[in-house]
Amino acid sequence: MRILEAKDVTLDDYLWIARPLIVFANSPADPLFIQQMQYINRELDQLAERDVVVIVDTDPAAQTDVRTKLRPRSFMLTLIGKDGEIKFRKPLPWSVREMTRSIDKMPIRQQEIRDRRDSGL
């Protein structure tokens, strides 16, 4: 799994396919951004298992599609569900464990788990 730049994506591209996890900051040097990316990079496999696509946006001047739609003020972590709805917004870094617990409680994720179990995967 690779980490994508916000300038290269449109949220609609992921509808019913993946869960975009967007990390916003006003600069790549923001300590909260750095901490969040360390958390994510350590456990990318856990996020990939849940169809999460990580998108970063550290340039407010670029006015990317995700920044225009979600309007962060500075650091912000946002998860969009496969249904296109915002599932959470966090003003501080969150561990991957907290993220995966939240994702695993979602109805669509619960259905994915049941489908995998029923298919023997």
Side-chain angles (χ1 to χ4, degrees), residues 17-92:
I17 296 168
R19 295 175 177 92
L21 176 69
I22 305 106
V23 184
F24 291 102
N26 288 341
S27 162
D30 182 326
L32 297 175
F33 176 77
I34 292 168
Q35 182 181 14
Q36 184 64 68
M37 295 312 296
Q38 288 171 341
Y39 290 161
I40 289 170
N41 282 313
R42 273 186 284 211
E43 299 189 64
L44 275 173
D45 59 325
Q46 292 296 314
L47 295 172
E49 183 179 316
R50 289 161 177 84
D51 299 327
V52 172
V53 174
V54 178
I55 301 167
V56 297
D57 187 328
T58 58
D59 183 7
Q63 287 303 305
T64 61
D65 175 62
V66 293
R67 190 171 284 270
T68 302
K69 287 182 178 175
L70 300 172
R71 296 189 304 266
R73 289 192 175 86
S74 57
F75 176 86
M76 184 171 79
L77 176 69
T78 304
L79 180 75
I80 309 290
K82 285 187 175 183
D83 59 0
E85 298 295 318
I86 295 171
K87 300 303 179 183
F88 61 71
R89 290 180 188 240
K90 301 294 174 186
L92 297 170

